[in-house]
Amino acid sequence: MTTPPAEPGTAPRAPRSVIVTGAASGIGRAAALAFAAQGDRVLAADVHAEGAQETVRMITAAGGVALAAVGDLGEQRVVDALVARAVDEFGGIDVLVNNAGIMDRMSAAHETDDAEWERVLRIDLTAPFLLTRAVLPHMLAAGTGCLVFTGSEAGLRGGAAGAAYTAAKHGITGLVKNLAVMYRGQGIRTNMIAPGPTATGISVDSRPDAHGPALIGRLVGANIGRLGSAAEQAAAIVWLASDAASFVNGAILPVDDGWSAV
């Protein structure tokens, strides 16, 4: 896999160092493949070793450069090791895609136990914060960088998921806007896609007799369009990290077939 040719009259773009979390499957894998296809070096991070390594195999088989990093990004030591490896192997970090996440059980607040709340918030909100905090010193030193988050329609509305997931994704939306303001003067852009229902491996272990899933199911079923693909979500991520989006900062981009417009 080689760097695509530059447009006539322009210099070819140097390969970038890209971290993609949740890269073992779904949107994360599609994003990792898309970045690699344009010549970027990718560190594919996931808690699932086999899936992350398969993503790397797919990239390297096509001639690209990729490494797998395995671990729970809710743990600071794992985050520190991942960032250090990206810097050591690739010389820096140009793009961070905070994509990894899990669903809740669509539970309403009165049905949400401590374990569900804490697990979803730790993986969907705390882990992206920890990784972002760890890469920022490297981007600040370089004077440039792109942060792209995979949010959700649940970060824009109250009727797309349970209490824990909705709170976590609203938290991501706020974090993205804060980062955009805090670091725009240092050459760092921060944006977020808000996917609608997308064909990925993420699962929902809901109880059909519970209040939350029954209500959310009716709301979602009445308003969504078609099911999106992981590749469509990845294309939006790659664009937000590209020079074509150089003046886009703090954007929350719904990729949802118009669901957010309903």
Side-chain angles (χ1 to χ4, degrees):
M1 185 178 296
T2 58
T3 302
E7 293 295 324
T10 64
R13 178 176 65 76
R16 297 175 300 177
S17 168
V18 181
I19 296 173
V20 180
T21 70
S25 63
I27 296 170
R29 172 175 285 174
L33 294 172
F35 279 111
Q38 61 181 22
D40 293 324
R41 299 163 297 183
V42 177
L43 192 152
D46 206 291
V47 71
H48 300 290
E50 184 175 344
Q53 290 160 0
E54 176 60 21
T55 298
V56 169
R57 284 192 291 270
M58 294 169 71
I59 291 172
T60 56
V65 178
L67 298 169
V70 179
D72 183 345
L73 294 174
E75 298 181 14
Q76 187 68 58
R77 63 175 182 81
V78 174
V79 168
D80 292 342
L82 183 153
V83 171
R85 188 175 184 204
V87 172
D88 290 344
E89 298 284 350
F90 297 151
I93 302 167
D94 299 302
V95 179
L96 168 63
V97 179
N98 275 309
N99 168 76
I102 60 169
M103 282 296 299
D104 61 12
R105 302 183 68 190
M106 298 292 185
S107 306
H110 75 280
E111 299 164 329
T112 304
D113 59 27
D114 290 352
E116 181 179 359
W117 178 266
E118 291 169 3
R119 180 168 180 260
V120 172
L121 268 290
R122 183 176 65 85
I123 295 172
D124 289 0
L125 182 57
T126 300
F129 165 74
L130 293 177
L131 189 50
T132 300
R133 183 176 65 182
V135 305
L136 276 169
H138 300 282
M139 292 184 174
L140 289 168
T144 185
C146 290
L147 304 166
V148 184
F149 289 72
T150 298
S152 172
E153 281 288 330
L156 308 179
R157 61 179 75 237
Y165 189 81
T166 301
K169 291 302 184 178
H170 272 75
I172 287 294
T173 301
L175 178 60
V176 165
K177 293 180 178 181
N178 180 263
L179 290 165
V181 172
M182 288 288 187
Y183 299 105
R184 65 180 180 178
Q186 286 72 44
I188 299 170
R189 297 188 297 109
T190 308
N191 295 290
M192 181 186 104
I193 65 164
T198 303
T200 69
I202 197 167
S203 61
V204 179
D205 178 25
S206 62
R207 302 192 314 275
D209 60 332
H211 172 71
L215 178 60
I216 296 300
R218 292 196 300 272
L219 293 173
V220 171
N223 291 303
I224 64 170
R226 67 174 177 84
L227 193 66
S229 71
E232 288 174 310
Q233 303 296 341
I237 290 172
V238 171
W239 179 76
L240 285 172
S242 74
D243 291 342
S246 60
F247 202 53
V248 180
N249 190 27
I252 309 300
L253 177 62
V255 188
D256 65 358
D257 194 32
W259 185 18
S260 60
V262 175

